[in-house]
Structure formats: structure tokens, C-alpha cells
Amino acid sequence: MSETFVVGDIHGQFDKLVGLLQRAKLINHHNDWCGGTNRVYFLGDFFDRGPDGIAGLDLVMRIQQQAASVGGQLHGLMGNHDALLIAVHRFGFSETSRIGGLLVESWQRNGGRMTDLQRLKQHHVEWLMSLPAMLLVGDRLLVHADAYLLYTSYGRSIEAVNRNIYKLMRSHNEEEWERFLTEFSERMAFFDDADMGVNGAQIASDFLRIFGGLQVVHGHTPIPKIIRQPPEVVTKPLVYANGLCINIDGGMYLGGPGFAYRLPSWIESIASFARKPGSEPPSLQTGHA
Ligand SMILES: [Mn+2]
């Protein structure tokens, strides 16, 4: 039977990417696809903060072809750092661009690596520009960021959001890009904020009602930063907002080993809770980290 795996923010950590794919038996020791008809979803942020974003993307693009040839599937989603890299590539060194200089500055401040930009080829750019922003996989709504305003401001359906962001990727309108990149820095939208009177589970439930699905699966905000644990010990996702959200960003760039999360079927999830009476999905009742 085919399994579905989800992988969070890689951020240039090529060796960890290889490690987690090998541990999940999706690639062999030659780094070739051996996952058969399994499916893998990468939640974006292939780039920045780590040494080799291009090597990671090259591997992902190569095994995507290999997977497809045997009935497997590999999909990616758009992360804010991937969008930022495209923006820097397009505007960063253009003499006519108003935002170019600022973009390069902000990209480098946020971990952008010149070595990635120098090796970024047109086929990488086209692959990245065609990534969807959200996908419904079974009952799970996959997005890069734990963001509400960002996605809802581009549409009220998955198709509309993906279509509008697809168009934006091909746009040379600097204001539109600026707005998009700013909005894409939103995070922790599904957390309670007592001071602001925000109920995270309520926001998550609204989000799921708009776009569909029973649970939001996202990356973008490293789990070690939220649970205040050493990154090295984070090897599994964080379920929160009364089980409506699951964060799979293990914080590889912070020192986490990273993991490929095997998405249980919804029936399987319910059964595992039922087997352990009293074991609710762990939900965090904290404010902002
Ligand atoms: Mn991100």
C-alpha cells in the first residue's frame, strides 16, 4: 500500500535531507528513488539559512522524475524563502528596480546565500515558480506557513489562491511582490493569544472551513522555538489547536535532525487515540513563543 510522507523546511541542509529520505526508505544509498508508489510532499523553504539549497533542490527534482517513472509522486509547495529567492533573482540586481537593493539586503539578513543565487538556473526558477501554495491531500490541508491572512488574501479556494500566486510569480509588478513577501512572513496564526483575545483553534477551524480539510499541515515556524526544547531532540511533529493543526518543521537549520512525517490516514489517527484513553492530541495552551 502506498504511504504519504510530508517533509518540512529544508533550508539548505542537504545532508539532513538525504538522511531523512534514506531513513524513510524513499531514497537508497545512491540517493536514487526507492520509494515505489509512495508520495512525498515538501512544504517549501528549500533555500536560505543553510549551506546548499541548490543541491537539495537538484536532488528533489531528480527523484521527482524517478518517482514518477514508477508510479510514485513527489510534490512541492511554495515557501516564503523560495519566493524571496525568485524575487532576488528577478529584481535584486536590476538597475531599474526600486526594491532590488532592499530585497538583496533583506534576503541576506534572512540567511540568503550568494552561492545558491549564482548556481540558480532557469529550470530551477521555473520549477519553483510553478509550486502551488496550498494542496488538499485526502483530509489534510497542506500549506507552507501557519498563516491565515496571507492565504485568505489571495482567494477563498485552493484553486483561486494557487492561480493568483502562480500569476504573481510571473509578474514584474514590484508593489505586488513587496506585499506578497511581507504577508508571507506571517506566522503562528493558529495559536491562542490571550492578550489579543485570539483563539487559535477557532482561526484554524475557520481556515479549514474556507479551504477544506480536517487538519492543517504546515512548516515555517520551527518546533524547537515553540516548545523551547533543544532542536536535537525534535524528531516528530507538533499537534496543536485541539488537533486541527500539525507543525512538521523540525528546525533543521537550528540543529534538528529533521524527519519525514508519514501521514496517517484519518481512520488510523482516530484509532490510535481510541487505543490510548485519555490521550488527546497534545494541544499547546501557551501564548506566543
Ligand atoms: Mn518559511
Side-chain angles (χ1 to χ4, degrees), residues 9 11 45 79-81 144 187 220:
D9 308 41
H11 283 307
D45 275 5
N80 53 314
H81 285 267
H144 171 69
R187 64 175 75 246
H220 187 56

